[in-house]
Amino acid sequence: MTITPPELSVFESLESEVRSYCRGWPAVFDRAQGSWLHDEDGHAYLDFFSGAGALNYGHNNPVLKRALLDYLERDGITHGLDMSTTAKRRFLTSFQDVVLRPRELDYKVMFPGPTGTNAVEAALKLARKVKGREAIVSFTNAFHGMSLGALAVTGNAFKRAGAGIPLVHGTPMPFDHYLDDQTPDFLWFERLLEDQGSGLNRPAAVIVETIQGEGGINVARPQWLRQLAELCERRDMLLIVDDIQMGCGRTGPFFSFEEAGITPDIVTLSKSIGGYGMPMSLTLFKPELDIWEPGEHNGTFRGNNPAFVTATAALDTYWADGQMEKQTLARGDQVESAMRDILREHRDTKADFRGRGLVWGLEFADKSRAAKVCARAFELGLLLETSGPQSEVVKLLPALTIGPDELDEGLRITARAVRETA
Amino acid sequence: MTITPPELSVFESLESEVRSYCRGWPAVFDRAQGSWLHDEDGHAYLDFFSGAGALNYGHNNPVLKRALLDYLERDGITHGLDMSTTAKRRFLTSFQDVVLRPRELDYKVMFPGPTGTNAVEAALKLARKVKGREAIVSFTNAFHGMSLGALAVTGNAFKRAGAGIPLVHGTPMPFDHYLDDQTPDFLWFERLLEDQGSGLNRPAAVIVETIQGEGGINVARPQWLRQLAELCERRDMLLIVDDIQMGCGRTGPFFSFEEAGITPDIVTLSKSIGGYGMPMSLTLFKPELDIWEPGEHNGTFRGNNPAFVTATAALDTYWADGQMEKQTLARGDQVESAMRDILREHRDTKADFRGRGLVWGLEFADKSRAAKVCARAFELGLLLETSGPQSEVVKLLPALTIGPDELDEGLRITARAVRETA
Amino acid sequence: MTITPPELSVFESLESEVRSYCRGWPAVFDRAQGSWLHDEDGHAYLDFFSGAGALNYGHNNPVLKRALLDYLERDGITHGLDMSTTAKRRFLTSFQDVVLRPRELDYKVMFPGPTGTNAVEAALKLARKVKGREAIVSFTNAFHGMSLGALAVTGNAFKRAGAGIPLVHGTPMPFDHYLDDQTPDFLWFERLLEDQGSGLNRPAAVIVETIQGEGGINVARPQWLRQLAELCERRDMLLIVDDIQMGCGRTGPFFSFEEAGITPDIVTLSKSIGGYGMPMSLTLFKPELDIWEPGEHNGTFRGNNPAFVTATAALDTYWADGQMEKQTLARGDQVESAMRDILREHRDTKADFRGRGLVWGLEFADKSRAAKVCARAFELGLLLETSGPQSEVVKLLPALTIGPDELDEGLRITARAVRETA
Amino acid sequence: MTITPPELSVFESLESEVRSYCRGWPAVFDRAQGSWLHDEDGHAYLDFFSGAGALNYGHNNPVLKRALLDYLERDGITHGLDMSTTAKRRFLTSFQDVVLRPRELDYKVMFPGPTGTNAVEAALKLARKVKGREAIVSFTNAFHGMSLGALAVTGNAFKRAGAGIPLVHGTPMPFDHYLDDQTPDFLWFERLLEDQGSGLNRPAAVIVETIQGEGGINVARPQWLRQLAELCERRDMLLIVDDIQMGCGRTGPFFSFEEAGITPDIVTLSKSIGGYGMPMSLTLFKPELDIWEPGEHNGTFRGNNPAFVTATAALDTYWADGQMEKQTLARGDQVESAMRDILREHRDTKADFRGRGLVWGLEFADKSRAAKVCARAFELGLLLETSGPQSEVVKLLPALTIGPDELDEGLRITARAVRETA
């Protein structure tokens, strides 16, 4: 595929220097369907990024699209603040019937504003309010958002520096596998908590991702998560699972923490919860934590009703039975096998891969390799992104609805990009 | 109109106690068109709230709707992170041609995430980064958002308490008319700045709303804003105008600060910028401030392309000439005249009104009266909200596209609600 | 008097650049008695600075010296932590009999560590603990100390910058006469407190000096202090009077707030409380505030027993009757009259003086004049210091025990220094 | 020895509840000499606490006393702010000749105010100013002082709670031996520093005690300190050794870090530096760090000249040769041998001891035992204190000048108290 330089002048002259993805993918995208994007020059790109996890059901999924068009055509409420609407009721009902009840979860549902960082801010506020403490424990290489509350529990030094103020009230602990594997899990955290002289401000809550997506596809083992949940329980800290990127089926089950068999006190969802890539997010919490006063947290766009419509369609279509989970795990096996082949082919190169469901990371000893692989993949018509504090991991995040042949095609391009950057 | 109790059970059992508007307006809304909402029981409500300013062009505006449906039907990119897309290019081009160039503004445009609080967080980060200082000055009764950065410069004690941590780095100054009118404007602020012993941490920026929407429809005079701009210039502080609620024509001109003839360093827009009530926001700033590193601030939903489509349609339809501004001012005269009549009718009651364009506030000496007026208005089929720290102001925020007869109808209901709560 | 360059090499080579007073007074002092210091070259200096208020009873006061020598000779406890000692009992008894009881004050006495900043830190801690709030209100040009808690409520920007972290939790309010005198006192503070939307974090306490010594000899009127006390009472804030520099008789009565007839909730004393210039300080508070746990605040040198001995001697000698107060006021009249003469002589120069008891400030329109006056005074054998955010005030702080002739001599030198720097 | 209830009424009625040592030692002390205190009822107590380390040369040491009396009698300057004085010059000269030069240390000397917490505040300010960063790393069970800057890097949760504000900008790391000894030293700290995604705010400095006195007599190994120094160097962090309790010969050499062969960037000294138990402290730092502006940090009592006199006498008397160090190590062997005997006698009890020079800790499996031992020791005429987050360690801190027989007597009483609390 040859790419002629796209017309980017208005982006370059008018848009802030803060823009980023558009730099790595210098095309002007126009249409998209399923796992394919099309730029204005007619090139097609296979999407292994899925809007950073916001497009688990693919671009412009036809089932969701139909529901959305119907809703818009009949002038359903678009902007609803937090008024009761029929669209919201349908969403709540489906969410209860399809997601919560079958998993025996009795969470209350909060619409904290339509972005992930809103959901995290609400979760942290609530945890602090419930416990009457300020401190939050997060993990190395965590990513929770860009507003100041969420940023304070995010690991990335470059993003943190953007705050312009010292970020406080958060303390990092080692994520699973962070230290050499001789050090017992939670030894340090436990000692800090049990020792009245440790100097750790007693935490209101712990916030964790089960797989760190931005942090480098770091996968926590189920037993590590169970130990963490048990520690939170024992030490009177709330456990917040930030499932914004890993929830909605990315790892197989609807919630990524299901495999570990834990029930977090608070859960954040965003990205794919709306189904169609439109802004929506949820903060879920155990009913006994629902001590909010009416309006104590609010936001103009927390009632994005078109997103409720597509969210409902997504739940009803994909989660009424266990098919989606099974399919994701099968597709995951396909990826894993391809990863294994890549490593075998490059036996002489120090490399590593890890993942679960349809989120995978491929890392090379040469940390600059990942960026080269992604750049070459783009030339070959595949959207791939890097992840990790030094962008040292190739991140594979295809739509859950990708077909096996499409997946294969993307994996072949990935393998080729690896080969051609050796 | 008789209202039969709506079916609210799932809202009450599943949704968090934090929900608020749905409490004052106990109906389940289903459809909306222009200035009218319809609940599922067939009742119609005239809307004098406009999604807290997010629906300046009315509900499901037909021109915008057509553009949106066309875009969705042809599978235009929905979720675009910050990739270059044809929809974004069209928006940027229109924003430049219709908004910036005619006003001789050379702002850079940042998509900070789709909500107002995202836009404010980005503005504050940038100001701190540019100036290398942490302190921000805000004003009494300011409202800038619910995430921790924005909340720290928000006045409302109830919202602030929700933070769960002490909110610092912000210092309030008196908004226009806040003190008795004998005290010279900016006397206190200026003394603090000029005195090396004042104890005020030197501010990076001042953030201000030209009219405080949530704070009680407090209207700053143009000369006050000019003095403020001049003070910022002289004392090396950036001036941030938060035009999230008052921009996009609410006060008449596109930007609410145009009347004062000032050019803020940074401007935030959200709410009605997307036109159709879908989440979108912008942070604008002078080009010399654009010192962001690529990706230093990001967010999953900062490329909400359907909103770009409706935003573009709104700009092209309503802002290509000066008609909208003229019409808003005319409608404003209509409101002002009705307000005057209400006051005349209740001459014995201590009351006051103020506003500009299509944002008005009506306040009674009896601070509990406003809530009663709104409650009665709802029974009479009109959506009206209160504002101010004690919910002591009736806030009128009709769509800019409201017809003169509809406006009249709403004003008559308002007058009746006032009368019936005397 | 001719001054030959003193031998300063070890100070210049070994001591940190942070040293300050030694720069303005380039002599090596050796002995001192009453109001006179003697350098190693045999020059004598009349002292109008009194150790920044730590030497109200003069240098090496003979009555205190005798008590101290007796105590040391008989091996009385020197270092006593907070153990009970006979010296501490004598001090407590005298403090109760001579200071507290005659003024009908039932304060509890805390030994918070031997310096002023320790006393302020303890006061702030206690106020926050009692009220369960973090915010403290201080005043423009306040000075309360250099450790981080005290520094956060200190006004001077240069000192604040030394913190190396943003100083938060403190908000400055205008001290008496700070704004133009048309603005009603406490208008701004009161509005901030009464308005739930003001953005002021609700303060635990207000900390104030009755006369700001470091801030420029700013004298609060008694009625202003009474209004402040009343405001604190009404708004549930503790009133802390920092009497470190102005207490122990500096303004006439033992406590500087006696004139206003108020009873602060918390009082800090240091500097002259030990009498002999040895480190000692007290934090006093109403008994109902004494919710400290044993050892919750501590410090190695809070039991400086030699200072207790001289403190007791000072109380018994000077405060058993009302003589000291009367004498101080008489000496104050002498200073005031001399100040008046200086102003009369320099009628053409814009100048101003203010003060009470034996603390006075002399300010010229030309802000650089004060430093010149002090430099010339040093050459003429008088120790005078500047004060104020720009060192624009000549500060007169003679010992309370100064004789009328000595006082006269110093005032004549002051007048001459003013004349010779015209 | 029988103790009749002492007359404590004024302490109980007038002094704040915060008083602490006086509760464990219910006597009224009057005189002291060497290692002996005498209460007003004629009882003598052998002192194994030495003013928490402030009395390394014993109470009212005759050599120092002579120098002090001479100075006071001849009216030497008592209170000298930071003026140059002959007493200060003599101290600086001796400190240079006796302490710095023989150890090839070229530190600048700052007089930050007379208490340990002043010295720590100054050290932290300077480190932040030099590096332009806010974060400080401290260690589990660290104790650095009670003012807010020092308290933020102190571990004890009870003391921290006294702050009344969340203590931020400090992060604890594990002190030597804190984790199980399989975990490699500094593994966690090093990972946090090298990983750009760790979430640790980059520290300006690390503050450490070589032996944690308040934290439970935790002894860092020389190689651990060397590794720490090397890490600080490599990662561009300043190393601050807080030698307030362990310096001035407590562990044998003058500085406690000499054994490790490291040269900290900043050192704090207080407690015994004045020699006679009078308040004095120093902050020492490498000359290239001396970027203070004149007066940027100050304090009324930083020129406590009587303490300079006794400090000089102590240096000249005890540190002109290596005798004191040798003697302390010999006395330390005597203590160690007695500790070993106690453990042998109570072989069946789980117990442990550790220490160096003349600082030792004795810990029992039963954490409440230590307090009982100290209480019984008091009854037997020996002053012993506990230490550690749960007061679980008996702390032995005799004067360095204690005679071998006195030491033996105290050790016998200790052994008896252990026996009698079994």
Side-chain angles (χ1 to χ4, degrees), chain A residues 239-318:
Chain A
L239 177 61
I240 305 170
V241 169
D242 180 342
D243 229 11
I244 289 173
Q245 186 160 155
M246 295 305 143
C248 301
R250 175 53 57 189
T251 68
F254 186 82
F255 292 112
S256 73
F257 54 78
E258 293 178 44
E259 189 183 347
I262 62 173
T263 304
D265 298 292
I266 306 181
V267 179
T268 56
L269 286 178
S270 184
K271 294 201 186 260
S272 278
I273 185 65
Y276 206 68
M278 291 187 302
M280 174 174 171
S281 78
L282 301 177
T283 306
L284 312 175
F285 34 82
K286 294 185 174 168
E288 62 270 26
L289 305 181
D290 192 13
I291 61 169
W292 286 114
E293 294 292 320
E296 197 173 358
H297 177 98
N298 63 14
T300 297
F301 293 117
R302 65 201 185 284
N304 187 12
N305 279 261
F308 297 165
V309 169
T310 51
T312 308
L315 294 180
D316 293 349
T317 308
Y318 294 107

Side-chain angles (χ1 to χ4, degrees), chain D residues 212-226:
Chain D
Q212 297 182 321
E214 299 304 303
I217 315 299
N218 306 311
V219 183
R221 289 162 299 149
Q223 63 266 43
W224 186 88
L225 289 169
R226 279 191 295 270

Side-chain angles (χ1 to χ4, degrees), chain D residues 388-406:
Chain D
Q390 297 171 273
S391 301
E392 75 278 20
V393 178
V394 178
K395 178 180 181 179
L396 292 87
L397 214 65
L400 306 186
T401 53
I402 195 167
D405 294 347
E406 289 170 321

